[in-house]
Amino acid sequence: MTPELRAKLIAGITDGSIVPYIGPGVLADVKNAATGAPIPADSDSLIYAMNDGKPMAPKLMYEFPRAAMNVELKRGRTAVTKFLTRTYGETAWTRGAFHDWLKDIAPPYVIDINRDTQLQDSYADAPHTLIVGIARIGGTDYRYKLYRWDGQAYSRVESIDTSLPVLFKPMGTPRPEPVYIASDADYVDFITELMGGFSIPPEIKLLRQGKQYLLMGMRLNRDTERMVMADMIFSAAKPAGWVFIAEPTAKERRFCARIGLEIIESDVFEFIGAAQPA
């Protein structure tokens, strides 16, 4: 990466013209505060954690939503919710270098497909709006909940004040209440409504027009995450932005070329100037 591109990306993130889109790789240096074990964030590590450290059948190891669907069918949806809440809401984790870096910049709009709370912690000192994705919940046509943080607590709201920072966590979070998109059935419902326009608040549909995106900590070799991302960045500028993939596959190259993402063959930790996790 050239110094000019790095400066351009940081300037765009700072002024809001470039939206950070955060995936599990940004948590690579986060450890369990008691045991030192890495946080389960990507698909494989989540499956192992959900299955007591053991692999599941090969067809279930393909992707976490498939494994979560299997657990849901056998033990109920609450089993998956309890696992994610125990992992992200009830376990103490070390602070990640990426989130310290992002806190200093404080972008006005961030999309975070992880289910941990470090992004929310980064904005704990400032009022902001939190958008949380939901699925398979009756009584509403929409697939999101809105909360406003006043510096002390979250409260439900019906609209977004775009003069405040907006944190969009489409796959859920344990705070302020544990709600997650996890199983295949969750994703089918959420993506169906995402394509229909019911998973994006109207204020965000306006806010996102003409934005560019910087995907960090993500691979683009799984259809589920690609479908979510493609609809989340709908109405982006052309080109749509950039993605950090140190060693992209041919499939990732084709997808990025089609959707208008430039691949930066580098690591996000190099970009933020932090040591790469071992």
Side-chain angles (χ1 to χ4, degrees), residues 55-269:
M56 298 179 75
K59 66 178 182 179
L60 301 177
M61 290 299 298
Y62 175 74
E63 197 172 24
F64 174 67
R66 187 179 296 181
M69 190 76 244
N70 179 267
V71 170
E72 179 178 315
L73 290 171
K74 290 181 176 178
R75 295 160 47 200
R77 192 178 185 188
T78 57
V80 179
T81 297
K82 288 178 179 178
F83 158 68
L84 292 169
T85 300
R86 185 170 63 251
T87 300
Y88 297 124
E90 299 171 0
T91 302
W93 302 101
T94 62
R95 180 72 174 166
F98 174 85
H99 282 291
D100 280 342
W101 173 84
L102 196 70
K103 179 179 181 178
D104 289 339
I105 297 178
Y109 176 39
V110 183
I111 301 171
D112 180 11
I113 67 167
N114 299 312
R115 300 175 182 89
D116 69 300
T117 62
Q118 295 218 13
L119 177 65
Q120 293 166 256
D121 294 340
S122 295
Y123 285 80
D125 295 335
H128 60 263
T129 298
L130 173 68
I131 311 169
V132 181
I134 60 174
R136 301 155 68 196
I137 292 179
T140 176
D141 292 329
Y142 301 102
R143 292 298 179 262
Y144 57 83
K145 291 185 177 183
L146 304 178
Y147 304 90
R148 186 181 187 278
W149 175 259
D150 62 7
Q152 299 293 326
Y154 282 110
S155 58
R156 286 291 302 274
V157 292
E158 297 301 321
S159 61
I160 297 173
D161 180 355
T162 54
S163 69
L164 299 176
V166 177
L167 314 181
F168 201 155
K169 290 186 68 69
M171 303 301 100
T173 172
R175 263 195 347 239
E177 56 181 316
V179 179
Y180 309 100
I181 309 293
S183 69
D184 275 341
D186 290 336
Y187 275 95
V188 167
D189 180 66
F190 183 76
I191 291 172
T192 299
E193 300 302 335
L194 187 58
M195 292 187 292
F198 292 100
S199 297
I200 303 283
E203 298 93 338
I204 300 303
K205 292 178 183 177
L206 291 174
L207 178 70
R208 68 182 182 175
Q209 291 180 7
K211 300 287 189 187
Q212 290 183 294
Y213 295 82
L214 180 60
L215 278 59
M216 294 179 277
M218 285 189 66
R219 297 304 301 259
L220 295 172
N221 50 11
R222 290 288 182 266
D223 290 340
T224 302
E225 288 186 354
R226 298 200 315 185
M227 286 189 288
V228 170
M229 186 274 296
D231 279 311
M232 292 289 292
I233 72 169
F234 183 78
S235 71
K238 295 187 178 183
W242 304 261
V243 55
F244 285 101
I245 305 178
E247 297 179 353
T249 65
K251 181 178 180 180
E252 288 173 317
R253 290 187 187 277
R254 289 192 299 270
F255 175 77
C256 290
R258 186 172 76 249
I259 204 169
L261 291 172
E262 177 185 335
I263 296 176
I264 302 172
E265 296 188 34
S266 180
D267 184 272
V268 65
F269 288 93

